[in-house]
Structure formats: structure tokens, C-alpha cells
Amino acid sequence: MTLENISSTKSFAGWHKQYQHQSISLNCQMRFAIFLPPQASEQKVPVVYWLSGLTCTDENFMQKAGALRIAAELGIAIVAPDTSPRGEGVADDAQGSYDLGLGAGFYLNATEAPWKSHYQMYDYVVNELPELIEQHFPVSQVRGIAGHSMGGHGALTIGLKNPLRYQSISAFSPITNPINCPWGQKAFEHYLGKNRDTWLQYDACELMKSVDCDLPILVDQGTSDNFLEEQLKPHALIDAAASNDYPLILRMQEGYDHSYYFIASFIEEHLRFHAKHFE
């Protein structure tokens, strides 16, 4: 598959690069960013796939999180895909709402028209993108997955459904229980239809109650997050983990909000968490 390099910028002796390509899964042109640490010039390196939140693109995390310095030190590549399909012919919310359509792919495989022809972000993140990355870049099959908000939902659900593909999961402010929050209910009804039984496969709380694995998971949640109780529901995830004796680490961080200031404050700990489980 052909990759078109859009940008290439040296950072911390490594390289931040953006590429676009025609996606088979999403039936449109997609863009992703990759940071290759300096160690990648000599050997294959492990990789963390970062999934961003509502309204974001591949750029938000790479520019705002302050992750590249520590990734360079640890010898970890970071891959950040866009959050949804985009382009001519890709369905969007008729009202232009931020929480449905472009920028709001929710990391699932849509089954309902008009979304299903493009919104197959689950397949893209789990299969197509890693195959592309491993084919074209010096990264290994040692993988972690992480994300923020909608992307935290994606990281948790994708990791829990594919425990043999990842060594570790981490999340900031994840939408933990989308079947029971307004963001999730709106997206799932449009993308997956009205049968709520089909929603369960994309809900981290439901998965954690029944999953038969102990993949390491670290979650950080700010106590001053405006979306804490209505949308994110971290205590539902704590209860789900307790019901299945799952070794979840969930930390409530006093005074932090939903922003990238929060992510930047703890991203080093998250990358070191992944690095520990890459050994």
C-alpha cells in the first residue's frame, strides 16, 4: 500500500512524521502521525497506539501531550491515527454536532446506514493500521494502546477484546460506560442501531465484567473534569473490575480537568507503565 509523506520533523533526536493513505477498511483517504524514537534507526522498537477524543485529529496528542521526549528516552514509537474517516462522501451529522460523524468515530464498526460504508474504525485500528505500520516502519509487534476520552473508550474496549495483540492499556478520562451516558447512547444508536444488545461489545464496563484476561490497565481521571459524572463514569469501571477481580489501576487525580494540561501532567507515567510491560 502506498504511503504519502506529508511532513517530517526532527524531535528529541527522533522523527515526527505524518502520512496519508487510502484506507481499505474506511473506504477513504486517512491520515496518521508517527513518532520514531532515535533507537528506531538501529532496531525495531515497540509501539504505543494513541487514540484521541471527540473533535481531534492525529495532531492533538503529538503537539500538546509532551510525550515525545520520554518516548525518545524509552525507545517507544507512538502512532496516532485520525479519530474518524473524513473526505468527500463520508457521512456527517446533519446538524454538524461535535459528538457524531466527522471527528467522532468512536472506534467501532458501524452497522447502520449511512455510516457503515466508512465508519469501520475498529477494523482500522485493530488490523489495517498496525499491518501498515509494521510493513513500512521499524516497529515490532510489541504493542500498547492508549487514549483520551472517546479514545480512552477505544483503548479500553479494543485492548480488552484483543488481549493477545497488546501488552498494556492506558487511558485518560475514558468514556467507560457508553451504553449509559449521553455521548455513547447518541453515537451507538446512530452507528449500531436501536438494539442495545449490540452495544455491549463496545462498552468497557460490560467487557471487564466478563473478560478472561488480566492485561495491565492504568487509568487516570481528574476530579475536576466537567464530564466526570454524566459522561465518563469512572466508578462504573471500578465496580466492573471488582466484580471480576480484574487488576485495574484507576487513579483519581485531585483538581485536574479534561484537558491536555491533565494529559501532559501524567503522560510520562503512562509511557513508563507501557515500557515496563514491554520488557
Side-chain angles (χ1 to χ4, degrees):
M1 183 178 294
T2 302
L3 292 181
E4 179 185 352
N5 181 232
I6 301 170
S7 71
S8 185
T9 306
K10 194 169 186 178
S11 182
F12 297 103
W15 289 92
H16 171 274
K17 301 183 179 186
Q18 288 176 299
Y19 291 87
Q20 62 184 17
H21 69 102
Q22 185 67 28
S23 168
I24 297 171
S25 303
L26 304 174
N27 191 28
C28 68
Q29 192 168 82
M30 283 294 284
R31 190 174 74 183
F32 66 85
I34 183 169
F35 175 71
L36 293 168
Q39 296 87 339
S41 65
E42 299 179 352
Q43 62 189 40
K44 290 186 176 183
V45 296
V47 56
V48 170
Y49 288 87
W50 174 269
L51 307 182
S52 288
L54 290 165
T55 78
C56 291
T57 68
D58 66 286
E59 295 183 337
N60 300 71
F61 177 80
M62 294 299 203
Q63 293 180 5
K64 296 180 180 180
L68 304 191
R69 176 188 62 81
I70 188 65
E73 175 192 325
L74 296 172
I76 294 173
I78 300 174
V79 173
D82 202 346
T83 52
S84 74
R86 299 181 195 266
E88 185 176 353
V90 176
D92 193 13
D93 180 55
Q95 284 73 47
S97 177
Y98 76 95
D99 55 1
L100 184 70
L102 302 185
F106 268 85
Y107 305 103
L108 50 73
N109 285 340
T111 57
E112 302 298 301
W115 313 101
K116 63 182 179 180
S117 60
H118 295 285
Y119 284 76
Q120 305 292 315
M121 285 297 296
Y122 178 88
D123 281 351
Y124 180 71
V125 170
V126 173
N127 296 310
E128 183 179 359
L129 183 60
E131 290 175 7
L132 192 67
I133 296 299
E134 290 161 17
Q135 177 184 353
H136 290 276
F137 301 98
V139 303
S140 71
Q141 293 184 346
V142 177
R143 313 180 191 98
I145 191 164
H148 172 232
S149 194
M150 177 185 73
H153 142 77
L156 289 171
T157 55
I158 287 172
L160 287 169
K161 286 164 69 71
N162 299 276
L164 299 181
R165 292 186 65 84
Y166 304 98
Q167 274 64 49
S168 49
I169 305 169
S170 76
F172 292 87
S173 318
I175 304 171
T176 68
N177 194 201
I179 65 172
N180 289 316
C181 79
W183 279 341
Q185 290 168 345
K186 178 179 179 179
F188 285 11
E189 183 167 335
H190 282 82
Y191 296 147
L192 302 173
K194 295 184 182 298
N195 182 356
R196 290 186 170 230
D197 290 342
T198 66
W199 299 7
L200 302 181
Q201 64 182 307
Y202 297 113
D203 186 289
C205 288
E206 295 299 319
L207 292 170
M208 190 165 281
K209 290 175 185 177
S210 59
V211 73
D212 184 22
C213 72
D214 59 356
L215 198 64
I217 298 178
L218 171 64
V219 175
D220 273 320
Q221 172 64 62
T223 62
S224 295
D225 192 317
N226 290 338
F227 306 111
L228 181 63
E229 297 301 331
E230 182 181 30
Q231 304 283 11
L232 306 178
K233 303 183 181 297
H235 295 292
L237 190 66
I238 292 172
D239 291 344
S243 73
N244 195 22
D245 292 325
Y246 197 98
L248 169 72
I249 301 171
L250 194 153
R251 310 185 302 188
M252 299 299 297
Q253 302 289 3
E254 186 67 31
Y256 286 91
D257 63 11
H258 199 71
S259 72
Y260 268 84
Y261 295 109
F262 171 45
I263 295 172
S265 299
F266 296 98
I267 190 61
E268 178 172 347
E269 294 181 30
H270 280 239
L271 289 178
R272 291 193 183 281
F273 170 81
H274 289 284
K276 179 177 70 174
H277 295 289
F278 289 166
E279 295 174 352

